[in-house]
Amino acid sequence: FALSKKTCPDNLTAFLNLLAAVVAYLYSTAWIFPALIVFGGLVTFLRDMYEKREVKAADGNEGIESLGVGKIGGGMLLITWLVVLVVTISLRNTTEYDGSNKALHWFEAFYRTGSIIFGGGQVVLPLIIEEVVQYKESCTPLDDGGEKCLPVPDYEFYGSFEHPDVESWMTETEFFSGLAIAQAMPGPLFNLSAYLGALIAAK
């Protein structure tokens, strides 16, 4: 409760947090997280302009003047990151997942996920599993004549991981087993990334 009072000091901030939680839950796409951050920033910026609020400077001299990279260097790093992101996304969307292109698809998936997510390491888990395990909608008939449809891994949908139409890089069991093991070690997300990379490459 104390943490929520600090992160949501007013009704507008509380509403934005609630809205972001609901939207992120309903639409777990890659671009929804940065879009929510930009939306929240714009709303609070406009609110502060309307109410003529001033940003308060930190008390005292923090002693931090530079991180060793100037404005030009920082700008170049930002441009490099953006160019690599756009190029890898474009290449993945125009290439098939086979042969030497597999490494490109792996790199793009993890680079994009790490680039557009803000927050703790656990935040990326829903996006990572959507990259490594692909789902199909499986429907079963109901007694009233309707259907009940649920997403299932494509290897279960087709009945075999070796089926040519299966696009998953691993099974759900393999993913969650690696996550459980990684949680017992320091730096669990780094260890999980190493585990996923080794297993995907081995397959």
Side-chain angles (χ1 to χ4, degrees):
F1 179 76
L3 179 61
S4 65
K5 295 295 289 184
K6 291 182 179 180
T7 57
C8 305
D10 52 57
N11 292 333
L12 177 61
T13 309
F15 170 75
L16 289 173
N17 277 271
L18 178 61
L19 178 65
V22 172
V23 173
Y25 177 79
L26 295 176
Y27 305 97
S28 57
T29 58
W31 299 103
I32 199 68
F33 297 99
L36 287 171
I37 292 172
V38 171
F39 174 76
L42 287 174
V43 171
T44 53
F45 175 74
L46 293 174
R47 186 271 312 271
D48 292 346
M49 285 187 59
Y50 177 77
E51 297 181 358
K52 297 181 180 180
R53 295 189 179 188
E54 294 183 0
V55 178
K56 295 181 179 179
D59 296 331
N61 185 7
E62 300 295 334
I64 301 175
E65 297 180 0
S66 174
L67 296 176
V69 178
K71 292 182 179 179
I72 295 178
M76 293 300 295
L77 288 175
L78 184 61
I79 292 172
T80 301
W81 160 77
L82 185 60
V83 168
V84 172
L85 180 64
V86 172
V87 169
T88 53
I89 291 175
S90 300
L91 290 175
R92 175 176 178 171
N93 291 333
T94 56
T95 57
E96 297 291 334
Y97 181 72
D98 57 9
S100 59
N101 292 331
K102 288 184 177 181
L104 170 66
H105 285 239
W106 304 336
F107 176 81
E108 187 275 339
F110 288 96
Y111 186 81
R112 171 170 42 82
T113 301
S115 294
I116 63 177
I117 291 298
F118 294 84
Q122 308 301 330
V123 177
V124 305
L125 292 178
L127 289 181
I128 291 179
I129 193 170
E130 286 190 2
E131 292 291 343
V132 301
V133 180
Q134 302 300 313
Y135 293 87
K136 294 285 186 180
E137 194 173 73
S138 178
C139 299
T140 55
L142 300 176
D143 295 336
D144 60 3
E147 286 185 330
K148 180 181 181 181
C149 298
L150 295 172
V152 298
D154 59 359
Y155 52 86
E156 292 183 5
F157 182 86
Y158 292 113
S160 170
F161 197 87
E162 305 301 326
H163 193 279
D165 292 330
V166 169
E167 298 178 349
S168 292
W169 297 346
M170 63 177 57
T171 67
E172 275 188 338
T173 301
E174 291 169 335
F175 178 86
F176 287 118
S177 296
L179 177 61
I181 295 171
Q183 291 295 326
M185 303 178 184
L189 266 296
F190 291 101
N191 292 318
L192 177 63
S193 298
Y195 166 83
L196 295 178
L199 186 59
I200 292 171
K203 286 180 174 290

